[in-house]
């Protein structure tokens, strides 16, 4: 029987890269996230045709707890199991705290932190009943260190690491692990927007803005690649990683070594 991976926020960026890596290994996939309908249909049909796997899509808005639960139930109904859960969907907003809109705070905490809670809470009993499971939370270097103007993001990503450790302990000795990946800068739409904002604000080129962004944080002046994050997720889902749980793995070019 083929294995099943549910990957939230997998219509773009890191989530899409993780979905591709699991598809290449023959996992059936549940895709989730926003985007134009035709693009999502293309992703679904490309994965199923290229890799000969079953692919489902659920458009749950993860800021809504009941839709988080429905996503898990829909996946179970379609596949009968979830072997790997990747809590990847995330959002960013940048503003000094005194101007930070409260509704943005609520939305970011809902998607980045509460959604992994709701999805994990609903998935864990199923993993327990099957006697196996892997949960991988995509946190961030901002789950380990702060930066100004990112109060909601930094707080939610720190919280996600706390959730990771707690789930790891609750699921220990049940052949279920829970770990976090903490990327530095990865060139995806969420970061592209920040580069554009910097280029506008400083009246510099996109390349100069990208290099400045890297320079502020990464010791190694390169963006991490989506494939590198995906390969680590694959490793954490593998039998070789059975004793790795409650851990945070950075792929951040030395950002958090400072
Ligand atoms: P992205 O913007 O390319 O992708 C985000 C995905 O989440 C998309 O599929 C989007 O549709 C989905 N999403 C957003 N809000 C949602 C909601 N309410 N309900 C359902 N889906 C929703 O960004 P990315 O860079 O691929 O980010 C993926 C994860 O990696 C995020 O959690 C992000 O915080 C984290 N991360 C990214 C970087 C980076 O440099 N790109 C660094 C560290 C951590």
């Amino acid at each position: 029987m083929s294995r099943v991976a549910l990957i939230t926020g997998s219509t773009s960026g890191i989530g899409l890269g993780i979905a591709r890596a699991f598809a290449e290994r023959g996992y059936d996939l549940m895709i989730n996230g926003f985007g134009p309908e035709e693009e999502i249909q293309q992703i679904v049909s490309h994965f199923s045709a290229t890799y000969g796997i079953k692919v489902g899509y659920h458009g749950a808005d993860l800021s809504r707890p009941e839709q988080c639960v429905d996503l898990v139930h829909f996946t179970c109904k379609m596949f009968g199991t979830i072997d790997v859960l990747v809590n990847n969907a995330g959002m960013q907003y940048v503003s000094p705290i005194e101007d930070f809109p409260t509704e943005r705070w609520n939305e970011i905490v809902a998607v980045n932190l509460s959604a992994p809670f709701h999805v994990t809470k609903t998935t864990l009993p199923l993993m327990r009943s099957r006697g196996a499971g892997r949960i991988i939370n995509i946190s961030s270097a901002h789950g380990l260190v702060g930066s100004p103007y990112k109060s909601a993001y930094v707080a939610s990503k720190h919280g996600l690491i706390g959730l990771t450790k707690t789930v790891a302990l609750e699921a220990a000795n049940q052949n279920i692990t829970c770990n976090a990946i903490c990327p530095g800068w990865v060139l995806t739409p969420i970061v592209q927007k920040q580069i554009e904002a910097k280029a506008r604000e400083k009246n510099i080129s996109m390349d100069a803005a990208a290099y400045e962004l890297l320079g502020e944080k990464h010791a190694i002046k390169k963006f991490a690649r989506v494939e590198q994050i995906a390969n680590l997720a694959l490793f954490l889902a593998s039998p070789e990683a059975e004793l790795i749980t409650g851990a945070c793995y950075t792929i951040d070019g030395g950002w958090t070594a400072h």
Side-chain angles (χ1 to χ4, degrees):
M1 214 173 89
S2 56
R3 290 166 298 171
V4 177
L6 162 57
I7 302 158
T8 70
S10 41
T11 53
S12 165
I14 294 172
L16 183 57
I18 293 175
R20 184 174 296 108
F22 278 86
E24 280 168 2
R25 296 290 172 103
Y27 278 78
D28 290 329
L29 292 181
M30 182 56 69
I31 302 288
N32 155 260
F34 299 146
E37 209 180 311
E38 324 80 73
E39 263 177 42
I40 292 170
Q41 260 325 307
Q42 249 176 22
I43 292 171
V44 169
S45 44
H46 170 74
F47 280 159
S48 52
T50 310
Y51 304 108
I53 55 170
K54 285 199 209 116
V55 185
Y57 168 74
H58 190 293
D61 176 350
L62 299 176
S63 67
R64 310 274 298 275
E66 71 285 357
Q67 296 192 26
C68 294
V69 172
D70 197 54
L71 169 64
V72 177
H73 288 161
F74 181 80
T75 309
C76 287
K77 216 167 164 189
M78 180 161 173
F79 296 115
T81 186
I82 298 172
D83 298 285
V84 177
L85 163 63
V86 184
N87 286 306
N88 164 78
M91 311 170 54
Q92 175 64 285
Y93 189 78
V94 182
S95 162
I97 190 161
E98 60 272 34
D99 302 325
F100 210 99
T102 301
E103 60 278 13
R104 286 287 189 169
W105 167 276
N106 288 337
E107 197 185 358
I108 290 173
V109 171
V111 175
N112 294 10
L113 178 58
S114 299
F117 162 76
H118 296 297
V119 175
T120 301
K121 178 181 170 174
T122 316
T123 304
L124 205 51
L126 180 79
M127 288 181 167
R128 285 205 173 101
S129 73
R130 311 268 307 178
R134 293 283 192 269
I135 301 168
I136 299 162
N137 294 326
I138 307 302
S139 179
S140 168
H142 279 127
L144 298 164
V145 294
S147 287
Y149 315 129
K150 296 186 174 177
S151 52
Y153 190 82
V154 170
S156 62
K157 293 297 187 180
H158 273 70
L160 186 55
I161 290 178
L163 179 69
T164 302
K165 291 175 181 172
T166 306
V167 172
L169 295 176
E170 291 187 23
N173 296 309
Q174 296 161 18
N175 195 23
I176 299 168
T177 65
C178 181
N179 291 290
I181 298 178
C182 298
W185 295 122
V186 189
L187 204 47
T188 66
I190 214 174
V191 168
Q192 197 66 33
K193 283 182 212 148
Q194 294 174 64
I195 295 171
E196 283 162 15
K198 195 180 260 298
R200 254 197 324 273
E201 183 195 313
K202 300 203 156 180
N203 200 20
I204 53 178
S205 72
M206 289 290 285
D207 280 354
Y211 195 76
E212 227 179 74
L213 205 77
L214 276 177
E216 286 163 7
K217 305 291 187 186
H218 276 211
I220 300 173
K221 310 292 180 212
K222 276 184 183 173
F223 287 96
R225 286 185 289 108
V226 161
E227 295 75 20
Q228 293 166 334
I229 314 295
N231 278 327
L232 180 53
L234 274 180
F235 172 69
L236 290 172
S238 73
E240 287 74 20
E242 68 170 333
L243 255 69
I244 300 176
T245 198
C248 307
Y249 276 84
T250 55
I251 304 190
D252 67 357
W255 176 335
T256 53
H258 283 114

